[in-house]
PDB file of all heavy atoms in Angstrom:
ATOM      1  N   ASN A   1     -38.381  23.111 -34.160  1.00 97.00           N
ATOM      2  CA  ASN A   1     -36.955  23.075 -33.815  1.00 97.00           C
ATOM      3  C   ASN A   1     -36.391  21.664 -33.710  1.00 97.00           C
ATOM      4  O   ASN A   1     -35.336  21.456 -33.125  1.00 97.00           O
ATOM      5  CB  ASN A   1     -36.656  23.849 -32.516  1.00 97.00           C
ATOM      6  CG  ASN A   1     -35.229  24.368 -32.484  1.00 97.00           C
ATOM      7  OD1 ASN A   1     -34.620  24.603 -33.532  1.00 97.00           O
ATOM      8  ND2 ASN A   1     -34.674  24.533 -31.292  1.00 97.00           N
ATOM      9  N   TYR A   2     -37.082  20.686 -34.299  1.00 97.00           N
ATOM     10  CA  TYR A   2     -36.546  19.330 -34.399  1.00 97.00           C
ATOM     11  C   TYR A   2     -35.851  19.127 -35.749  1.00 97.00           C
ATOM     12  O   TYR A   2     -34.903  18.372 -35.852  1.00 97.00           O
ATOM     13  CB  TYR A   2     -37.684  18.314 -34.227  1.00 97.00           C
ATOM     14  CG  TYR A   2     -37.247  16.901 -33.941  1.00 97.00           C
ATOM     15  CD1 TYR A   2     -36.964  16.489 -32.651  1.00 97.00           C
ATOM     16  CD2 TYR A   2     -37.154  15.966 -34.969  1.00 97.00           C
ATOM     17  CE1 TYR A   2     -36.586  15.173 -32.384  1.00 97.00           C
ATOM     18  CE2 TYR A   2     -36.784  14.654 -34.723  1.00 97.00           C
ATOM     19  CZ  TYR A   2     -36.497  14.264 -33.422  1.00 97.00           C
ATOM     20  OH  TYR A   2     -36.113  12.956 -33.162  1.00 97.00           O
ATOM     21  N   ARG A   3     -36.367  19.797 -36.766  1.00 95.00           N
ATOM     22  CA  ARG A   3     -35.731  19.915 -38.083  1.00 95.00           C
ATOM     23  C   ARG A   3     -35.557  18.608 -38.841  1.00 95.00           C
ATOM     24  O   ARG A   3     -34.536  18.404 -39.508  1.00 95.00           O
ATOM     25  CB  ARG A   3     -34.367  20.601 -37.956  1.00 95.00           C
ATOM     26  CG  ARG A   3     -34.440  21.998 -37.371  1.00 95.00           C
ATOM     27  CD  ARG A   3     -33.071  22.619 -37.242  1.00 95.00           C
ATOM     28  NE  ARG A   3     -33.094  23.793 -36.399  1.00 95.00           N
ATOM     29  CZ  ARG A   3     -32.012  24.393 -35.903  1.00 95.00           C
ATOM     30  NH1 ARG A   3     -30.809  23.906 -36.194  1.00 95.00           N
ATOM     31  NH2 ARG A   3     -32.119  25.435 -35.132  1.00 95.00           N
ATOM     32  N   LEU A   4     -36.526  17.736 -38.759  1.00 96.00           N
ATOM     33  CA  LEU A   4     -36.468  16.471 -39.505  1.00 96.00           C
ATOM     34  C   LEU A   4     -37.066  16.672 -40.901  1.00 96.00           C
ATOM     35  O   LEU A   4     -38.017  17.419 -41.062  1.00 96.00           O
ATOM     36  CB  LEU A   4     -37.231  15.422 -38.713  1.00 96.00           C
ATOM     37  CG  LEU A   4     -37.514  14.054 -39.333  1.00 96.00           C
ATOM     38  CD1 LEU A   4     -37.570  12.998 -38.231  1.00 96.00           C
ATOM     39  CD2 LEU A   4     -38.843  14.048 -40.104  1.00 96.00           C
ATOM     40  N   ARG A   5     -36.507  15.942 -41.853  1.00 96.00           N
ATOM     41  CA  ARG A   5     -37.042  15.956 -43.221  1.00 96.00           C
ATOM     42  C   ARG A   5     -36.920  14.566 -43.843  1.00 96.00           C
ATOM     43  O   ARG A   5     -35.891  13.923 -43.772  1.00 96.00           O
ATOM     44  CB  ARG A   5     -36.276  16.954 -44.100  1.00 96.00           C
ATOM     45  CG  ARG A   5     -36.679  18.415 -43.886  1.00 96.00           C
ATOM     46  CD  ARG A   5     -38.111  18.686 -44.380  1.00 96.00           C
ATOM     47  NE  ARG A   5     -38.514  20.082 -44.233  1.00 96.00           N
ATOM     48  CZ  ARG A   5     -39.174  20.565 -43.189  1.00 96.00           C
ATOM     49  NH1 ARG A   5     -39.487  19.764 -42.181  1.00 96.00           N
ATOM     50  NH2 ARG A   5     -39.534  21.843 -43.134  1.00 96.00           N
ATOM     51  N   GLY A   6     -38.033  14.100 -44.448  1.00 97.00           N
ATOM     52  CA  GLY A   6     -37.999  12.862 -45.222  1.00 97.00           C
ATOM     53  C   GLY A   6     -38.209  11.591 -44.446  1.00 97.00           C
ATOM     54  O   GLY A   6     -37.751  10.527 -44.871  1.00 97.00           O
ATOM     55  N   GLY A   7     -38.926  11.644 -43.307  1.00 98.00           N
ATOM     56  CA  GLY A   7     -39.138  10.414 -42.562  1.00 98.00           C
ATOM     57  C   GLY A   7     -39.813  10.626 -41.225  1.00 98.00           C
ATOM     58  O   GLY A   7     -40.544  11.592 -41.019  1.00 98.00           O
ATOM     59  N   ALA A   8     -39.532   9.700 -40.305  1.00 98.00           N
ATOM     60  CA  ALA A   8     -40.153   9.737 -38.983  1.00 98.00           C
ATOM     61  C   ALA A   8     -39.250   9.049 -37.972  1.00 98.00           C
ATOM     62  O   ALA A   8     -38.458   8.171 -38.304  1.00 98.00           O
ATOM     63  CB  ALA A   8     -41.518   9.064 -39.018  1.00 98.00           C
ATOM     64  N   VAL A   9     -39.393   9.477 -36.715  1.00 98.00           N
ATOM     65  CA  VAL A   9     -38.683   8.874 -35.589  1.00 98.00           C
ATOM     66  C   VAL A   9     -39.731   8.476 -34.557  1.00 98.00           C
ATOM     67  O   VAL A   9     -40.640   9.264 -34.251  1.00 98.00           O
ATOM     68  CB  VAL A   9     -37.673   9.867 -34.964  1.00 98.00           C
ATOM     69  CG1 VAL A   9     -37.042   9.288 -33.715  1.00 98.00           C
ATOM     70  CG2 VAL A   9     -36.600  10.232 -35.979  1.00 98.00           C
ATOM     71  N   ALA A  10     -39.626   7.264 -34.024  1.00 98.00           N
ATOM     72  CA  ALA A  10     -40.630   6.771 -33.085  1.00 98.00           C
ATOM     73  C   ALA A  10     -39.970   6.085 -31.898  1.00 98.00           C
ATOM     74  O   ALA A  10     -38.864   5.568 -31.995  1.00 98.00           O
ATOM     75  CB  ALA A  10     -41.591   5.813 -33.778  1.00 98.00           C
ATOM     76  N   SER A  11     -40.710   6.070 -30.763  1.00 98.00           N
ATOM     77  CA  SER A  11     -40.168   5.491 -29.532  1.00 98.00           C
ATOM     78  C   SER A  11     -41.298   4.966 -28.657  1.00 98.00           C
ATOM     79  O   SER A  11     -42.381   5.545 -28.621  1.00 98.00           O
ATOM     80  CB  SER A  11     -39.371   6.557 -28.774  1.00 98.00           C
ATOM     81  OG  SER A  11     -38.980   6.105 -27.497  1.00 98.00           O
ATOM     82  N   SER A  12     -41.028   3.875 -27.956  1.00 98.00           N
ATOM     83  CA  SER A  12     -41.971   3.409 -26.928  1.00 98.00           C
ATOM     84  C   SER A  12     -41.592   3.964 -25.568  1.00 98.00           C
ATOM     85  O   SER A  12     -42.207   3.634 -24.556  1.00 98.00           O
ATOM     86  CB  SER A  12     -42.005   1.874 -26.883  1.00 98.00           C
ATOM     87  OG  SER A  12     -40.708   1.349 -26.646  1.00 98.00           O
ATOM     88  N   ILE A  13     -40.550   4.814 -25.541  1.00 96.00           N
ATOM     89  CA  ILE A  13     -40.177   5.535 -24.332  1.00 96.00           C
ATOM     90  C   ILE A  13     -40.776   6.922 -24.462  1.00 96.00           C
ATOM     91  O   ILE A  13     -40.343   7.728 -25.293  1.00 96.00           O
ATOM     92  CB  ILE A  13     -38.650   5.636 -24.180  1.00 96.00           C
ATOM     93  CG1 ILE A  13     -38.027   4.241 -24.171  1.00 96.00           C
ATOM     94  CG2 ILE A  13     -38.281   6.409 -22.922  1.00 96.00           C
ATOM     95  CD1 ILE A  13     -36.514   4.253 -24.249  1.00 96.00           C
ATOM     96  N   GLY A  14     -41.792   7.201 -23.686  1.00 94.00           N
ATOM     97  CA  GLY A  14     -42.463   8.497 -23.717  1.00 94.00           C
ATOM     98  C   GLY A  14     -42.800   8.894 -22.297  1.00 94.00           C
ATOM     99  O   GLY A  14     -43.841   8.507 -21.771  1.00 94.00           O
ATOM    100  N   HIS A  15     -41.890   9.582 -21.654  1.00 90.00           N
ATOM    101  CA  HIS A  15     -42.025   9.885 -20.220  1.00 90.00           C
ATOM    102  C   HIS A  15     -43.356  10.570 -19.924  1.00 90.00           C
ATOM    103  O   HIS A  15     -43.772  11.467 -20.628  1.00 90.00           O
ATOM    104  CB  HIS A  15     -40.874  10.772 -19.766  1.00 90.00           C
ATOM    105  CG  HIS A  15     -39.543  10.123 -19.872  1.00 90.00           C
ATOM    106  ND1 HIS A  15     -39.138   9.103 -19.036  1.00 90.00           N
ATOM    107  CD2 HIS A  15     -38.521  10.300 -20.730  1.00 90.00           C
ATOM    108  CE1 HIS A  15     -37.922   8.710 -19.370  1.00 90.00           C
ATOM    109  NE2 HIS A  15     -37.525   9.428 -20.415  1.00 90.00           N
ATOM    110  N   ASP A  16     -44.015  10.118 -18.819  1.00 88.00           N
ATOM    111  CA  ASP A  16     -43.618   9.022 -17.967  1.00 88.00           C
ATOM    112  C   ASP A  16     -44.570   7.833 -18.117  1.00 88.00           C
ATOM    113  O   ASP A  16     -44.352   6.783 -17.533  1.00 88.00           O
ATOM    114  CB  ASP A  16     -43.624   9.453 -16.501  1.00 88.00           C
ATOM    115  CG  ASP A  16     -42.353  10.152 -16.083  1.00 88.00           C
ATOM    116  OD1 ASP A  16     -41.288   9.811 -16.618  1.00 88.00           O
ATOM    117  OD2 ASP A  16     -42.416  11.051 -15.247  1.00 88.00           O
ATOM    118  N   SER A  17     -45.624   8.025 -18.888  1.00 94.00           N
ATOM    119  CA  SER A  17     -46.570   6.931 -19.076  1.00 94.00           C
ATOM    120  C   SER A  17     -46.094   5.934 -20.127  1.00 94.00           C
ATOM    121  O   SER A  17     -46.622   4.836 -20.244  1.00 94.00           O
ATOM    122  CB  SER A  17     -47.948   7.474 -19.456  1.00 94.00           C
ATOM    123  OG  SER A  17     -48.524   8.146 -18.361  1.00 94.00           O
ATOM    124  N   HIS A  18     -45.093   6.346 -20.895  1.00 96.00           N
ATOM    125  CA  HIS A  18     -44.450   5.465 -21.879  1.00 96.00           C
ATOM    126  C   HIS A  18     -45.426   4.893 -22.894  1.00 96.00           C
ATOM    127  O   HIS A  18     -45.436   3.697 -23.187  1.00 96.00           O
ATOM    128  CB  HIS A  18     -43.639   4.385 -21.174  1.00 96.00           C
ATOM    129  CG  HIS A  18     -42.538   4.986 -20.365  1.00 96.00           C
ATOM    130  ND1 HIS A  18     -41.487   5.664 -20.941  1.00 96.00           N
ATOM    131  CD2 HIS A  18     -42.356   5.082 -19.031  1.00 96.00           C
ATOM    132  CE1 HIS A  18     -40.699   6.130 -19.989  1.00 96.00           C
ATOM    133  NE2 HIS A  18     -41.203   5.796 -18.823  1.00 96.00           N
ATOM    134  N   ASN A  19     -46.232   5.794 -23.402  1.00 97.00           N
ATOM    135  CA  ASN A  19     -47.004   5.462 -24.586  1.00 97.00           C
ATOM    136  C   ASN A  19     -46.096   5.619 -25.807  1.00 97.00           C
ATOM    137  O   ASN A  19     -44.982   6.130 -25.701  1.00 97.00           O
ATOM    138  CB  ASN A  19     -48.220   6.380 -24.674  1.00 97.00           C
ATOM    139  CG  ASN A  19     -49.256   6.040 -23.615  1.00 97.00           C
ATOM    140  OD1 ASN A  19     -49.683   4.888 -23.515  1.00 97.00           O
ATOM    141  ND2 ASN A  19     -49.651   7.020 -22.817  1.00 97.00           N
ATOM    142  N   LEU A  20     -46.565   5.156 -26.951  1.00 98.00           N
ATOM    143  CA  LEU A  20     -45.783   5.301 -28.164  1.00 98.00           C
ATOM    144  C   LEU A  20     -45.804   6.761 -28.595  1.00 98.00           C
ATOM    145  O   LEU A  20     -46.841   7.423 -28.525  1.00 98.00           O
ATOM    146  CB  LEU A  20     -46.349   4.429 -29.282  1.00 98.00           C
ATOM    147  CG  LEU A  20     -46.409   2.920 -29.012  1.00 98.00           C
ATOM    148  CD1 LEU A  20     -46.957   2.188 -30.237  1.00 98.00           C
ATOM    149  CD2 LEU A  20     -45.051   2.361 -28.638  1.00 98.00           C
ATOM    150  N   ILE A  21     -44.657   7.247 -29.025  1.00 98.00           N
ATOM    151  CA  ILE A  21     -44.569   8.636 -29.475  1.00 98.00           C
ATOM    152  C   ILE A  21     -43.812   8.661 -30.796  1.00 98.00           C
ATOM    153  O   ILE A  21     -42.796   7.974 -30.964  1.00 98.00           O
ATOM    154  CB  ILE A  21     -43.891   9.514 -28.400  1.00 98.00           C
ATOM    155  CG1 ILE A  21     -43.877  10.986 -28.816  1.00 98.00           C
ATOM    156  CG2 ILE A  21     -42.518   9.015 -28.031  1.00 98.00           C
ATOM    157  CD1 ILE A  21     -43.546  11.930 -27.670  1.00 98.00           C
ATOM    158  N   VAL A  22     -44.338   9.417 -31.745  1.00 98.00           N
ATOM    159  CA  VAL A  22     -43.749   9.456 -33.081  1.00 98.00           C
ATOM    160  C   VAL A  22     -43.802  10.872 -33.618  1.00 98.00           C
ATOM    161  O   VAL A  22     -44.752  11.615 -33.371  1.00 98.00           O
ATOM    162  CB  VAL A  22     -44.470   8.471 -34.033  1.00 98.00           C
ATOM    163  CG1 VAL A  22     -45.947   8.803 -34.154  1.00 98.00           C
ATOM    164  CG2 VAL A  22     -43.794   8.417 -35.394  1.00 98.00           C
ATOM    165  N   LEU A  23     -42.772  11.241 -34.340  1.00 98.00           N
ATOM    166  CA  LEU A  23     -42.657  12.576 -34.922  1.00 98.00           C
ATOM    167  C   LEU A  23     -42.175  12.420 -36.358  1.00 98.00           C
ATOM    168  O   LEU A  23     -41.261  11.633 -36.626  1.00 98.00           O
ATOM    169  CB  LEU A  23     -41.670  13.399 -34.098  1.00 98.00           C
ATOM    170  CG  LEU A  23     -41.436  14.873 -34.442  1.00 98.00           C
ATOM    171  CD1 LEU A  23     -40.990  15.615 -33.187  1.00 98.00           C
ATOM    172  CD2 LEU A  23     -40.391  15.044 -35.522  1.00 98.00           C
ATOM    173  N   GLY A  24     -42.798  13.144 -37.288  1.00 98.00           N
ATOM    174  CA  GLY A  24     -42.369  13.004 -38.672  1.00 98.00           C
ATOM    175  C   GLY A  24     -42.958  14.065 -39.586  1.00 98.00           C
ATOM    176  O   GLY A  24     -43.767  14.891 -39.169  1.00 98.00           O
ATOM    177  N   ASP A  25     -42.539  14.001 -40.845  1.00 97.00           N
ATOM    178  CA  ASP A  25     -43.051  14.966 -41.826  1.00 97.00           C
ATOM    179  C   ASP A  25     -43.973  14.316 -42.845  1.00 97.00           C
ATOM    180  O   ASP A  25     -44.415  14.964 -43.796  1.00 97.00           O
ATOM    181  CB  ASP A  25     -41.897  15.694 -42.519  1.00 97.00           C
ATOM    182  CG  ASP A  25     -41.092  14.792 -43.446  1.00 97.00           C
ATOM    183  OD1 ASP A  25     -41.279  13.550 -43.397  1.00 97.00           O
ATOM    184  OD2 ASP A  25     -40.260  15.325 -44.200  1.00 97.00           O
TER     185      ASP A  25
END
């Protein structure tokens, strides 16, 4: 239900330990 296509989104804000989090196809 995120519905991304053709790439990736990443963040160093990842509650609450704030590890790197990335989502992509």
Side-chain angles (χ1 to χ4, degrees):
N1 206 27
Y2 196 85
R3 300 179 194 167
L4 171 150
R5 282 292 182 266
V9 174
S11 172
S12 57
I13 303 171
H15 296 289
D16 276 328
S17 291
H18 298 295
N19 288 306
L20 301 182
I21 184 166
V22 59
L23 184 153
D25 69 348

